[in-house]
Amino acid sequence: MPYKNIEDYSETVTQGVKDRYKEIIESLGEDTQREGLLKTPERAAKAMQFLTQGYEQDPVEILTSAMFKESYNEMVIVKDIELYSLCEHHILPFFGKVHIAYIPNGYIVGLSKLPRIVDVFARRLQVQERLTEQILDCINDTLKPQGVAVVIEASHMCMMMRGVQKQNSITTTSGFRGQFEKIETRNEFLKLIGK
C-alpha cells in the first residue's frame, strides 16, 4: 500500500492562506507555475496551520487531564524539552530547550504533559519572554504547586539569517514562582539543569 499522509486541516483556511502565499511568491518575482513551486503555496498553508495549532489547544485541559493526588513534595524537573516556535516579529523560527521544575503541593502531573504545554504555547506566533511567562503561569495557576521554575534557551533565526546575523547567539529567559523565588531553591534548580 502506498504511503498516505493523514492531515486534518481546515479546507477554508488552507485555501485562503494558499492564495495569499501564491500572491507573496509571485510578488517576490517567482513563477508559481514552475514545477518546484506548483504545490508550495498549499504546503506552506498547511505548515503554517501546523506551526500555529496551539491557538486551538487548551493547556489547562492538558494539565488537568493527568493530575494525580500524591504526597511527594520535592523538586520535579523535566529538562531539555525541545522547543520550536515562530517569532511574531518576522515569522521566522526560534528553537532551543525548555527546562521546567515544580515542587508539588498535594498533586503531581503526568510528565508528558509538561512538554505538551510547551508545544501548545510555542505553536503560536510568539516572543520568548511571553512564552516563558505563559508556561510558568499555566503550571502555577493550574497545579498550584509550592513553586515553579522555567528557563528557556533559544536561537532566533531573525538574528541569525537576517538583521545582525549573529550565528552563535543564544537568548535565555527565566521565570520563578513560590519556593523558587528563594535563592537556595533557585540555585539547586539551576545546578541540576547544568546552569
Side-chain angles (χ1 to χ4, degrees):
M1 183 172 175
Y3 168 77
K4 184 174 182 178
N5 187 14
I6 300 171
E7 296 177 338
D8 186 23
Y9 299 111
S10 162
E11 287 183 32
T12 304
V13 173
T14 299
Q15 188 60 50
V17 176
K18 172 184 165 184
D19 292 345
R20 286 166 183 81
Y21 267 116
K22 185 175 179 187
E23 289 174 22
I24 291 167
I25 293 167
E26 289 172 347
S27 295
L28 294 172
E30 262 291 1
D31 175 10
T32 55
Q33 297 307 304
R34 180 164 71 76
E35 182 183 14
L37 291 176
L38 278 174
K39 293 187 177 183
T40 298
E42 182 176 355
R43 287 187 192 110
K46 289 179 177 178
M48 189 56 69
Q49 287 177 82
F50 177 83
L51 295 170
T52 59
Q53 66 184 297
Y55 291 117
E56 305 297 322
Q57 298 171 330
D58 183 350
V60 172
E61 185 179 305
I62 289 169
L63 280 181
T64 56
S65 73
M67 282 177 60
F68 308 102
K69 196 158 185 56
E70 192 62 55
S71 62
Y72 185 81
N73 63 358
E74 299 294 330
M75 196 180 303
V76 177
I77 299 174
V78 180
K79 68 178 193 171
D80 296 330
I81 300 167
E82 296 172 9
L83 162 71
Y84 300 96
S85 192
L86 291 176
C87 164
E88 69 181 34
H89 299 143
H90 301 96
I91 312 184
L92 287 173
F94 66 95
F95 57 93
K97 296 177 181 177
V98 181
H99 314 287
I100 299 173
Y102 74 99
I103 301 172
N105 190 20
Y107 287 91
I108 60 169
V109 68
L111 295 176
S112 70
K113 302 309 177 197
L114 297 176
R116 287 186 193 279
I117 66 161
V118 168
D119 284 347
V120 168
F121 289 117
R123 288 182 179 156
R124 301 174 180 189
L125 299 180
Q126 274 292 9
V127 294
Q128 185 173 330
E129 297 86 343
R130 181 187 321 118
L131 177 60
T132 305
E133 201 162 65
Q134 287 176 330
I135 295 167
L136 184 75
D137 288 342
C138 180
I139 296 166
N140 194 55
D141 296 346
T142 307
L143 286 182
K144 301 194 183 330
Q146 295 178 56
V148 60
V150 175
V151 171
I152 299 179
E153 303 168 292
S155 297
H156 293 249
M157 296 305 285
C158 58
M159 285 182 60
M160 297 168 72
M161 286 180 69
R162 60 166 310 284
V164 296
Q165 298 180 50
K166 299 302 177 198
Q167 304 306 307
N168 299 308
S169 64
I170 295 194
T171 301
T172 302
T173 51
S174 63
F176 306 96
R177 298 283 188 275
Q179 292 295 319
F180 288 95
E181 294 174 278
K182 295 179 181 175
I183 195 71
E184 321 81 64
T185 311
R186 183 182 305 195
N187 284 343
E188 180 185 350
F189 164 65
L190 294 173
K191 182 179 177 184
L192 289 169
I193 65 169
K195 303 296 161 213

